[in-house]
Amino acid sequence: MSFHTGYLAIVGRPNVGKSTLNNRLVGAKVSITSKKAQTTRHRIHGILTTDDCQYIFVDTPGFQMQHRNALNRMMNRSVTQTLAAVDVVLFVVEAGRWGGGEDEIVKVLPRNRPVLLVINKVDRLEDKGRLLPFIEKMAQTYPFAEILPISAEKGQGVAELLKVAAGHLPEAPPVFDADDITDRSERFLAAEMLREKLFRNLGEELPYGIAVEIEQFEQEGDLRRIHAAVIVDKAAHKGIVIGKSGERLKRISTDARKEMEQLFGGRVWLETWVKVKSGWADDERALKSLGYE
């Protein structure tokens, strides 16, 4: 029996459910999620290996239409570079919604490899009668290899998506071990989990220029000692993150620690603090020091 392996880019505008889809496809949480734009800032590989196929999903940042600083340029560059290097593109859109963000992405879609249009959140479409006209309209925008309606959150249509995608992957041996679910290190995943909790706990108060830097990561048996700095752009943002008497940062850290322990399968000792680095999001050297490509 032949074996197929390939890279599949998951692209789309912010908040269409790319990271939720990546996690659903892999069967584990390897991409952080929230309702905020810029939740995903890095290319993250999620890996699924079956009896005859290895899928390597590349969860990309949402294509940025505003805030034109170095961080956004770097994120958009990550999307276009990924599109040039994968075997299949999964272009994710939200059911019933197509706007300027999608039009911009269509302009950079590759013409020399299959693009599957993945219509997500069909379970949230109140008038299901709108779905077929929407599919017909989308078919006119680009020569998609397939158009597949799904719900990443509920898992609807995901098995069919995998089946269709497998038919476009090249015959090749696996790149990763069968039990690998991501190529990212625990250090990277720890930073992402903490950043997710910042996004989720800060809500509308979330400072635009916020990042996480793991300054120390040590493992002693099943205990991981992690020292993490929350980076903000302005001194005024420091108090927002810390909260009254430090309660907000304590809650964020506790939520992150519990999720780390679940994923890593061991105890975690997490210490966090907040540092001010003015202008980091528009400083390419600072971005590279924080792990941005």
Side-chain angles (χ1 to χ4, degrees), residues 228-240:
V230 177
I231 310 298
V232 294
D233 187 58
K234 298 176 181 177
H237 294 158
K238 193 170 182 177
I240 295 174

Side-chain angles (χ1 to χ4, degrees), residues 196-209:
E196 179 190 66
K197 301 313 173 191
L198 287 160
F199 275 52
R200 289 182 177 272
N201 279 273
L202 291 171
E204 295 303 317
E205 293 184 78
L206 178 75
Y208 171 69

Side-chain angles (χ1 to χ4, degrees), residues 91-122:
F91 179 19
V92 185
V93 301
E94 187 174 334
R97 292 190 61 187
W98 183 282
E102 281 76 16
D103 288 333
E104 289 299 312
I105 294 170
V106 166
K107 293 177 184 178
V108 298
L109 289 176
R111 299 279 171 168
N112 59 347
R113 55 184 57 83
V115 179
L116 312 184
L117 182 66
V118 181
I119 302 176
N120 191 25
K121 305 185 184 181
V122 294

